[in-house]
Amino acid sequence: MALVFALRQLAHVRLPEYSRRTAAASWGAWLTGQRSFKTGTQPLRSNSKVTVHFVNRDGEKITVKGSPGDSLLDVVINEDLDFDGFGACEGTLACSTCHLIFDEEVYQKLGPITDEEMDMLDLAYGLTDTSRLGCQICLTKALEGMVARVPESVADIRQSKDGSL
Amino acid sequence: MSGHKLLLSELRLWTSGRRSRWTVRLREGVTARGNASFPSCNPKVCVVGGGPAGFYTAQHLIKARQDVEVDIYERLPVPFGLVRFGVAPDHPEVKNVINTFTQTAKHSRCHFYGNVHVGKDVSVDELRQAYHAVVLSYGAEGNRNIAVPGEDLTGVYSAKDFVGWYNGLPSCEQLTPDLSGETAVVLGQGNVALDVARILLSPIDILKKTDITQPALEALAASRVRRVLIVGRRGPMQVACTIKELREMVNLPGTRPEMAAADFEGVTEALQDLPRPRKRLTELMMKTALETPGEKEQERRSKASRVWGFRFFRSPVEILADSEGGRTAGVRLAVTRLEGSGEGAQALLTGEVEDVSCGLIISSIGYKSLPIDPSVPFDTRKAIVPNTMGRVQQAAGLYCSGWLKTGPTGVIATTMNNSFDTARSLVEDLDSGTLDVSAAKPGSRSVSALLDKRGVKAVGFSDWEKIDCEEMKRGEAVGKPREKLLTVEEMLQVAQT
Ligand SMILES: Cc1cc2nc3c(=O)[nH]c(=O)nc-3n(C[C@H](O)[C@H](O)[C@H](O)COP(=O)(O)OP(=O)(O)OC[C@H]3O[C@@H](n4cnc5c(N)ncnc54)[C@H](O)[C@@H]3O)c2cc1C
Ligand SMILES: NC(=O)c1ccc[n+]([C@@H]2O[C@H](COP(=O)([O-])OP(=O)(O)OC[C@H]3O[C@@H](n4cnc5c(N)ncnc54)[C@H](OP(=O)(O)O)[C@@H]3O)[C@@H](O)[C@H]2O)c1
Ligand code: FES
């Protein structure tokens, strides 16, 4: 998925706001067409997979592997993880439903965060100091064994940042 | 349907037997469809409204229980509610949610019936007789009025209508707003206000590559609006918009910001105690309003031909007419001051007023849900259906979700979560037996018969797909992702081909 990685780099870091949006949209469309196809068509790549432990909303731990360069959203899709509503905008930085929470030391290893990611993250429920958007995090070997927590989203813990109940 | 099956078998090939769980369910469902093999005591649920709330509620119900069948009734021949008719045309990425809605609609235990106006073509009582449970998810189709003298003058529009106009909502097709004045005033400082301001000021070269309607594109190309003031009754720390949308304004090509430094007095001191989202939003606003920009930004601003700015502490009191008395010439704003601080601060009138000349006023102070059927409880003060976790009060078997449940605030993710919550309540009631499903219900069979009798022709999801194809084809011809059909008649015509 080197192409995805390259696209994401382009899409979210280099291009100015407007062309960024177009790039993001076409990447979204590409993803839509391909999202369930990816597992079967892995390109040649070293088999140095990265282990990721997700903790779902019920507190269950789910351990899966992903390839370096894949985003955590890619991993969730490729591994058929059923986190309701996760990744609604398909990785285009327009929804914050891919919100994940990390331990401090993992968070430090996740790499820099763009203003655009922060902007979307600010809308996430249960925002913490170690929150990130899963679609913006690319796996690296250094993240081996990481734990990513899917935050709860039920009504009573909702903080009404967006003026909503 | 056969095309659909083909696609899925291809998909299986491609993925070497590995499919997403949702796809597996989808596929099983597709095979089951048409066999009419469901026993008659399956819980039958109907959802009123085919927007995000309707689709997310349906999605959760179908996933949570393997026996529930869900029918979605939608007033228009086309689905997706505000994702199609609200979300700004230059936000295509937000519309990716449609892909998941489409998966839900194509599930064998879900059916979409468009062109059915609940409350008119079929009553909620009739639906309650036909189904074990009815979920109201029909959104907020009205708007709050500024309720000041002059609001009926030519040149004053609600944001709901203006947005509907540029997004091709059939009922707003005839709006043809007057864009001949240089200054436009947008009342309200939420994200809708920013959408409107951005569309008014965006370079046509950006808009022409979106799915904005052709009439709107032409009107905006000829627009003389050069300055948009976004007016709020409270201060910078109370704006309702979110930072992503503010950043888009700040970066909008061809525009520069124009704000009053005095409005930001005391804000710096208050910054440190704010929660992160509000703090970052306020910081970006202050940077834009107060800081001397770097060389590049200065150059960009000096070349800008269009201007936008927030005006704070101003509440509309009257729309002023021109000398002939028919058209908008300006707005009288009462100067306010804040009592209290933070999100809950209240705007009090100081007695001072200020007149602003403008030819266009767009009132963006919020949408509003409307009652659609006298048999359904409705809280007129809050303009919502009174509910506890989505269960409509004093109406067993009746539920609500989305903007109708919470009021007209929240992004799609908010709507998604509150719709899942409602679906959870419904599933809980099914599991606990609170919702009695022992007697079989006829579901769409009896509703279709009623509709037939009343001469209403429902539009299925595959009919929508014809409309979708036609729109994309027309869009391709002009370099847009889609060219929307603008009238219900035309939609029905294409659906029936
Ligand atoms: C202008 C605007 C822009 C927005 N932009 C964004 C954005 O960029 N990102 C974001 O996350 N959120 C955005 N939102 C918020 C988002 O649109 C809402 O959270 C969401 O659409 C609410 O969903 P809903 O299903 O409750 O209502 P709606 O989307 O309004 O859906 C209600 C549906 O019910 C149908 N209906 C109404 N009456 C009847 C009836 N009597 N019988 C049958 N059907 C009926 C309607 O036709 C409609 O399809 C925006 C909102 C607005 C107003
Ligand atoms: N890109 C996006 O994500 C996007 C785009 C559009 C909409 N949306 C969402 O859709 C929801 C609705 O948006 P919205 O902009 O319609 O509503 P909103 O966010 O509630 O904003 C309403 C604005 O109107 C003002 N207002 C209300 N009553 C008023 C009155 N009587 N006089 C003067 N001003 C008044 C409010 O000011 P006070 O605070 O003083 O009441 C506020 O500034 C929001 O949650 C929004 O985030 C999201
Ligand atoms: S998937 Fe929407 S922001 Fe990450």
Side-chain angles (χ1 to χ4, degrees), chain A residues 17-18 20-21 25 28-29 32 35-37 39-41 78-82 84-86 88-90 92-97 115-116 118-123 125 127-129 153-155 158 161-165, chain B residues 11 14-16 18-21 23 25 56 59-60 63 90-94 96-97 99 191 198 202 206 241-244 247-248 251-253 276-278 280 389 406 409-411 413-414 416-418 420-421 424:
Chain A
E17 183 74 6
Y18 268 86
R20 181 182 68 73
R21 203 180 292 129
T32 324
R35 58 189 294 170
S36 327
F37 295 48
T39 349
T41 56
N78 291 345
E79 296 300 317
D80 301 339
L81 302 184
D82 193 11
D84 235 3
F86 196 89
C89 78
E90 307 187 342
T92 58
L93 260 188
C95 75
S96 79
T97 60
D115 283 344
E116 286 75 17
M118 283 281 251
D119 290 356
M120 248 7 266
L121 203 48
D122 277 355
L123 278 183
Y125 292 134
L127 178 66
T128 71
D129 288 341
S153 61
V154 287
R158 232 169 248 170
K161 157 64 198 99
D162 194 38
S164 47
L165 285 172
Chain B
L11 194 144
W14 269 92
T15 57
S16 352
R18 295 200 50 196
R19 286 154 288 151
S20 82
R21 245 176 262 169
T23 317
R25 285 187 207 134
Y56 280 125
Q59 173 186 327
H60 193 90
K63 278 178 135 187
D90 59 346
H91 283 171
E93 61 287 13
V94 175
N96 281 345
V97 293
N99 297 324
N191 282 336
R198 198 177 66 252
S202 281
I206 290 177
C241 64
T242 50
I243 187 166
K244 179 171 188 258
R247 202 183 293 283
E248 283 178 300
N251 293 333
L252 189 64
R276 180 173 109 185
R278 173 64 72 187
R280 293 184 67 246
M389 290 295 282
T406 60
T409 56
V411 292
T414 326
M416 178 182 88
N417 282 315
N418 95 48
F420 288 169
D421 286 344
R424 269 184 215 114

